[in-house]
Amino acid sequence: MAVALQLERDRAYQGLLNLIIGGGVDPDTPLSERKLAVSLEIGRTPVREALRDLARDGILEVRPARGTFVRHLTIEDVQEIYEVRHSLEGTAAFLAAERGPTLKLKAYGPKFRAMMDDPRAHDPAEIYETGAEFHLEVFRSARNRQMLKIYEPLRLRFRLALRLPRYFDHDRVRESVQEHLSILEAIERSDGQAAQRLICGHLSKGLEVRAQIFRSLAEYAPDARAFDWEHEI
């Protein structure tokens, strides 16, 4: 019985997360436990628990007397996330180089080279998703369970921030393929310092792109500090 309840809770969590990241939730409307349960075809109790867990992970926020909403990230939030990513991912890349890449991490080499050979044949969203999974596999290659546990909820928050196709920088996404390949090659040749330096440089460029988006939107949004990053990737 307990196992079944946990499975329902996990299914509700993943279903809600997919709905939020996929843009299926209006960030300005409070979430309805009843409507979500009907939409996901899951009981209200696991949905209630999933809402609580997503608030704990920073994906949702509870506003007193108003309800539960998808969290709006500010430029300060994004900067802080990147600062933590520099520390965690730099260390993960270093450890992955010392301990050796997993077979799954090595498999990204041919994928990245194919994307570089014919970049226009690959959808930018596909390239982004491949890169996002690559970052996670670097952590698995680091073989540090505690570090991975710290990174996973941060990764969810970051994915929430990166959902903006209309502000999608296609050239930057394709440029990142070469950066990912360079990081992988440094890990494969066991050069921890190079892997750490390269991944930190890659993250610095990513932050600058997102900061520029905020600066550009400041001309149009009443409060760009709290811009809704609903569609950026």
Side-chain angles (χ1 to χ4, degrees), residues 11-70:
R11 191 161 73 90
Y13 183 100
Q14 192 59 52
L16 282 170
L17 184 62
N18 291 341
L19 196 62
I20 293 166
I21 291 176
V25 174
D26 182 353
D28 296 318
T29 302
L31 296 172
S32 166
E33 182 183 298
R34 179 182 60 80
K35 289 180 180 179
L36 289 170
V38 171
S39 175
L40 296 171
E41 299 182 343
I42 300 175
R44 291 183 65 171
T45 297
V47 167
R48 185 182 308 120
E49 292 174 346
L51 289 170
R52 183 193 63 200
D53 291 344
L54 285 164
R56 175 204 63 201
D57 291 341
I59 304 301
L60 303 178
E61 61 178 340
V62 179
R63 302 177 192 171
R66 294 190 59 193
T68 301
F69 296 79
V70 174

Side-chain angles (χ1 to χ4, degrees), residues 80-101:
E80 289 175 1
I81 287 171
Y82 266 96
E83 287 171 1
V84 177
R85 290 187 73 193
H86 267 78
S87 178
L88 288 176
E89 297 197 38
T91 301
F94 183 88
L95 291 175
E98 280 202 332
R99 297 169 181 175

